[in-house]
Amino acid sequence: MTSQAKVTDTYDVVVVGSGAGALTAAIFAADRGMSVLIVEKSDKYGGTSALSGGGIWVPNNHYFKAKGGQDSFEQALTYLKASVGDQVDEARLRAYLDNAPKMMQYLQENTRLNYTVAERYPDYYQHLPGAAPGGRTLDPELFDTTALGEEVENLQPASPTTLLMGKIAWTARHAHKAMARERGWRLLLVWLMLRYKLDFKQRRKTRRDRRAALGNALIASLRASLMDRNVPLWLNTDFSELVQNDEGRVTGLIVKRNGQEQLINVRQGVILGSGGFEQNQALRDRYLPKPTRVEWSATPPGRNTGAALEAGQAIGAATAMLDWAWWAPTISVPKEEKARGVFAERAFPGAIVVNGEGKRFVNEAVGYLEFVDEMYRDNIKTNGKTVPAWVIFDAHFRFNYAMGPLMPAQVMPDSRMPKSWHKSVYWKADSLEALAAEIGVDAKGLKHTVERVNGFAATGNDEDFQRGGNVFDRYYGDSNVKPNPCLAPIKKGPFYAMRLDAGDIGTKGGLLTNEKGCVVREDGREIKGLYAIGNCSASVMGTVYPGAGATLGPAMTFAYIAINDLAQQKADQKVSA
Ligand code: FAD
């Protein structure tokens, strides 16, 4: 330990990082009567959480029940056990399912958080027992950032990919309606645009929407709730080391604040919520499958570099699943600081994804984690021809649907796209053969694949990968397309291709914790006073992604669990004193 560090402060609890889990921990700590400090490395709070969709996966929640929905702890446990398998202790799965609904109900009733249930958003593995066709994902409503006052300047700005036309706030409900082209979608877009434009007071000041949406709404509402409680948040404060007493209990941490090294003492515990290691190329090279690049991650550059992992390892913490990430295919766009995740568009009818041999290798509509997992598997089979992969579509698709940064041509024709995007974001040719030559994909293979898929589009039956064969695939299909909303022919030139990298939205492995969120050693003993939540901990979801919100949900839930554990310890100490 750096013993020269100046002792600056003592708190009951110090929370490292300012993502959704970290801020949730701070709220619960404050409400349980503990003094609490949040330390955040960057000059903005919110981390990847602030760029996210803000969806939280909470089976058996009170929102769905209030609307007459059916779910139960047992059904959700059946599903989690079937999807996660035996990679994770059942005690942790149970702790999650038991506490997630309680955590959300408390936040809804006692803070500024405002969520609603996505009644029709299906779990990702519809073939497994206990899967629900909807009702387990909770989505944020828009949040008026006026409540943050000047603190709004320090809020990590939303990613343009999560905003309508890169600037207008909309909810997940709105986005889905527009993307799936449900009745009234055009009117909805006009209304959202007008509302933004007619907010004259805000427009005179800034391009930023007054309303925060999705993950930005989640973080803004949590931060505003912390301001209500006078909880301090130190920006530009980089955590590096944990400090222990002679019994091995964590009693403090070393941070560098504005360049000055400091020791902060803790009476109760440290909650690590500083994200994964996706922004650290050396750690990616050490742990993740190859090839892997920092630039393919859809997370904020330079932030989550694995500080918690390294500090935990330095004091003997066990780790798990370090070779896994929350995979998502991504597209890099010139001048944008991070890659864009391609989450939903792969399900739209008329786009397929091929490897360098021109062959499909996956049901394009599967969840994003499985999609990239299949990329890596196929990359081994093809000797390196599947990373990157290529999404292929025709002029009909281009006119009607978005793909990554390309808005439908009816809104954004090729002539209005930045010139630098041609041959960096998209490739275009009059024939499939010419397109294949441009992107270095086998032309015969591509032609054969397209003919085969065009046949499937006519019958509605994808004989190779069963795309559109379940309610999850069809959620992002086009309900106007028959017989299969996820399948349409590719036949009208010009033809387009876009490059998909093996990206991520954060890493998934990290410090191993128990059902209390406490970090453990290899032999299972707790490191007292040390908790890990979010992507710096090994995910309670194992190597799978059971439903939308399965990363934020556990981060926030284990924050609640960890603080309850600390509060219990504090109460026990009082009794024995
Ligand atoms: P973060 O939210 O990244 O927070 C970590 C914080 O710690 C950062 O602010 C970072 O600067 C700080 N930090 C790092 N190192 C240090 C240090 N040494 N000292 C102090 N601070 C430090 N997940 C869902 O569940 N639902 C969704 O709808 C969803 N949508 C997504 C959409 C997109 C486009 C993306 C990119 C991701 C999405 N995700 C979603 C994934 C989700 O956002 C992340 O898994 C989650 O935010 C990780 O939370 P975290 O608290 O672990 O990390």
Side-chain angles (χ1 to χ4, degrees):
M1 152 186 146
T2 322
S3 52
Q4 278 78 20
K6 196 174 92 187
V7 181
T8 47
D9 286 283
T10 302
Y11 288 85
D12 288 334
V13 175
V14 174
V15 180
V16 182
S18 61
L23 299 189
T24 301
I27 288 179
F28 281 111
D31 286 8
R32 302 299 295 264
M34 300 179 209
S35 63
V36 54
L37 167 71
I38 305 161
V39 295
E40 163 57 48
K41 162 181 170 174
S42 95
D43 60 350
K44 300 271 184 289
Y45 59 86
T48 309
S49 306
L51 304 173
S52 74
I56 303 178
W57 193 70
V58 181
N60 198 25
N61 63 73
H62 70 283
Y63 303 80
F64 193 39
K65 285 189 185 155
K67 292 197 166 180
Q70 298 286 319
D71 200 359
S72 69
F73 177 94
E74 288 71 28
Q75 195 188 337
L77 183 63
T78 302
Y79 177 61
L80 262 193
K81 281 166 78 173
S83 46
V84 174
D86 54 11
Q87 295 160 348
V88 174
D89 270 359
E90 189 173 324
R92 285 176 71 204
L93 301 182
R94 285 179 176 273
Y96 178 59
L97 293 176
D98 187 26
N99 287 287
K102 294 177 193 159
M103 177 275 298
M104 272 316 278
Q105 185 150 9
Y106 183 91
L107 290 182
Q108 186 81 19
E109 288 169 4
N110 297 284
T111 72
R112 294 177 184 252
L113 200 83
N114 186 12
Y115 265 64
T116 186
V117 62
E119 288 166 89
R120 291 191 296 134
Y121 203 157
D123 286 342
Y124 289 178
Y125 308 123
Q126 285 297 311
H127 60 289
L128 293 180
R136 287 179 175 165
T137 295
L138 305 176
D139 284 321
E141 296 289 10
L142 300 182
F143 180 77
D144 188 339
T145 55
T146 315
L148 289 170
E150 287 178 4
E151 278 253 1
V152 73
E153 298 303 326
N154 300 329
L155 169 64
Q156 168 75 43
S159 167
T161 56
T162 58
L163 298 169
L164 174 60
M165 301 172 73
K167 57 186 181 188
I168 302 172
W170 60 348
T171 64
R173 200 169 55 246
H174 296 147
H176 177 255
K177 190 176 174 102
M179 281 197 278
R181 296 153 54 89
E182 286 176 354
R183 245 177 87 173
W185 69 277
R186 283 197 178 84
L187 213 60
L188 170 73
L189 295 193
V190 171
W191 175 69
L192 288 169
M193 286 188 239
L194 277 178
R195 194 173 65 171
Y196 173 84
K197 282 209 160 51
L198 297 179
D199 186 356
F200 296 122
K201 204 170 157 203
Q202 183 80 357
R203 287 299 66 75
R204 271 196 293 273
K205 276 196 298 195
T206 170
R207 181 176 186 269
R208 191 171 187 160
D209 199 322
R210 169 192 307 277
R211 297 167 189 85
L214 308 170
N216 230 240
L218 166 61
I219 292 298
S221 59
L222 290 174
R223 179 63 191 131
S225 309
L226 284 162
M227 288 165 66
D228 295 339
R229 291 160 170 78
N230 289 320
V231 172
L233 188 164
W234 291 358
L235 296 173
N236 302 307
T237 306
D238 193 358
F239 151 78
S240 58
E241 259 179 86
L242 294 160
V243 178
Q244 294 172 286
N245 66 12
D246 292 344
E247 283 92 56
R249 184 179 185 97
V250 169
T251 55
L253 69 165
I254 306 279
V255 299
K256 207 178 234 181
R257 187 179 187 202
N258 298 321
Q260 173 76 41
E261 201 163 75
Q262 306 182 5
L263 164 64
I264 309 170
N265 286 325
V266 293
R267 283 183 284 259
Q268 294 295 128
V270 170
I271 312 276
L272 297 174
S274 55
F277 60 85
E278 62 274 4
Q279 285 295 324
N280 185 326
Q281 186 63 45
L283 292 183
R284 290 184 83 102
D285 289 341
R286 185 177 313 159
Y287 296 120
L288 296 182
K290 315 285 177 304
T292 184
R293 296 293 316 158
V294 157
E295 296 78 23
W296 298 345
S297 181
T299 62
R303 300 282 172 76
N304 298 342
T305 49
L309 174 68
E310 293 185 315
Q313 283 174 322
I315 63 163
T319 58
M321 294 182 323
L322 293 177
D323 52 345
W324 275 86
W326 299 100
W327 304 118
T330 53
I331 291 178
S332 293
V333 178
K335 296 195 193 138
E336 291 190 3
E337 61 165 10
K338 58 189 179 317
R340 296 190 184 211
V342 181
F343 300 107
E345 308 94 299
R346 293 169 285 109
F348 298 168
I352 57 165
V353 179
V354 297
N355 59 23
E357 295 172 353
K359 292 183 186 153
R360 291 171 76 210
F361 55 92
V362 65
N363 167 4
E364 291 85 348
V366 287
Y368 21 103
L369 178 137
E370 277 71 29
F371 185 92
V372 173
D373 190 32
E374 285 301 330
M375 272 175 93
Y376 276 120
R377 282 174 204 274
D378 199 62
N379 200 49
I380 294 170
K381 282 192 222 150
T382 59
N383 248 328
K385 290 190 186 145
T386 318
V387 179
W390 297 90
V391 57
I392 308 287
F393 49 91
D394 71 356
H396 177 78
F397 182 98
R398 170 84 189 93
F399 184 78
N400 287 297
Y401 306 101
M403 179 57 73
L406 270 52
M407 286 294 105
Q410 56 183 306
V411 185
M412 188 207 241
D414 290 0
S415 58
R416 283 188 42 209
M417 278 201 295
K419 287 218 163 33
S420 62
W421 286 12
H422 188 216
K423 299 197 183 190
S424 64
V425 174
Y426 75 96
W427 285 253
K428 179 180 171 184
D430 288 335
S431 68
L432 282 171
E433 290 84 347
L435 185 69
E438 290 243 359
I439 59 176
V441 161
D442 183 76
K444 263 197 192 151
L446 178 62
K447 209 153 176 274
H448 176 258
T449 300
V450 167
E451 278 162 12
R452 194 164 165 78
V453 170
N454 288 354
F456 298 160
T459 61
N461 183 15
D462 172 4
E463 291 170 28
D464 293 337
F465 296 102
Q466 292 74 51
R467 172 168 164 183
N470 67 66
V471 64
F472 172 66
D473 287 11
R474 292 193 294 273
Y475 186 67
Y476 282 113
D478 181 343
S479 50
N480 305 302
V481 171
K482 309 274 184 272
N484 183 332
C486 300
L487 288 178
I490 300 174
K491 54 184 185 192
K492 185 170 184 258
F495 298 92
Y496 294 80
M498 294 174 81
R499 176 191 156 118
L500 293 182
D501 291 314
D504 63 82
I505 54 174
T507 48
K508 202 180 206 304
L511 302 175
L512 188 62
T513 53
N514 62 17
E515 71 282 5
K516 297 184 227 163
C518 189
V519 177
V520 296
R521 300 170 205 279
E522 286 297 342
D523 61 8
R525 276 181 308 133
E526 293 181 348
I527 299 181
K528 297 287 182 198
L530 184 63
Y531 297 78
I533 57 175
N535 291 348
C536 66
S537 62
S539 174
V540 69
M541 299 295 162
T543 60
V544 296
Y545 207 135
T551 89
L552 294 171
M556 295 169 70
T557 302
F558 279 96
Y560 169 69
I561 293 173
I563 296 298
N564 279 345
D565 192 46
L566 284 176
Q568 185 59 51
Q569 286 176 28
K570 198 172 177 183
D572 294 347
Q573 282 158 9
K574 269 195 188 148
V575 171
S576 62

